[in-house]
Every structure is written in C-alpha cells, then in structure tokens.
Amino acid sequence: MPITDQDLTRQDEDISPQEFQAEEAREADFGNWPELAGLVFTAFVIWLTFAFTG
C-alpha cells in the first residue's frame, strides 16, 4: 500500500488506535545498530578533529 501525502500529514491524534497499531507493525525494527553506528561515527569525527588540528 503506497503512502500518500494525506498519510504523511496526519498527526497521531488524527488516527485511531487501530490505525496506529497497524502503522507501528508496518515499520521496520532496526534494533540498536543505527544508534551504535552513529555513536562510532561521531567518535571517529571527534578523533579526526583533534588528530589533525593538534
């Protein structure tokens, strides 16, 4: 089912609990790896900043 502009502009208060549960079930569960990858990348950028600026 494609997402329409109307779906994108709806707020949580505008949808029923059943629609909210269905939307939550449709979304992919990526786990914690995106947060961990972001943390590692941020640490790497900070290290680069201090490594090359002295």
Side-chain angles (χ1 to χ4, degrees), residues 17-33:
Q18 293 80 15
E19 286 179 296
F20 181 77
Q21 293 287 343
E23 181 180 322
E24 289 292 313
R26 269 196 320 263
E27 293 178 355
D29 182 19
F30 293 111
N32 290 334
W33 72 265

Side-chain angles (χ1 to χ4, degrees), residues 47-54:
W47 177 81
L48 281 176
T49 301
F50 287 109
F52 292 110
T53 58

Side-chain angles (χ1 to χ4, degrees), residues 1-11 14-15 23:
M1 175 165 94
I3 296 176
T4 64
D5 286 339
Q6 178 63 24
D7 294 331
L8 293 174
T9 58
R10 293 176 72 189
Q11 300 296 313
D14 295 337
I15 63 176
E23 181 180 322

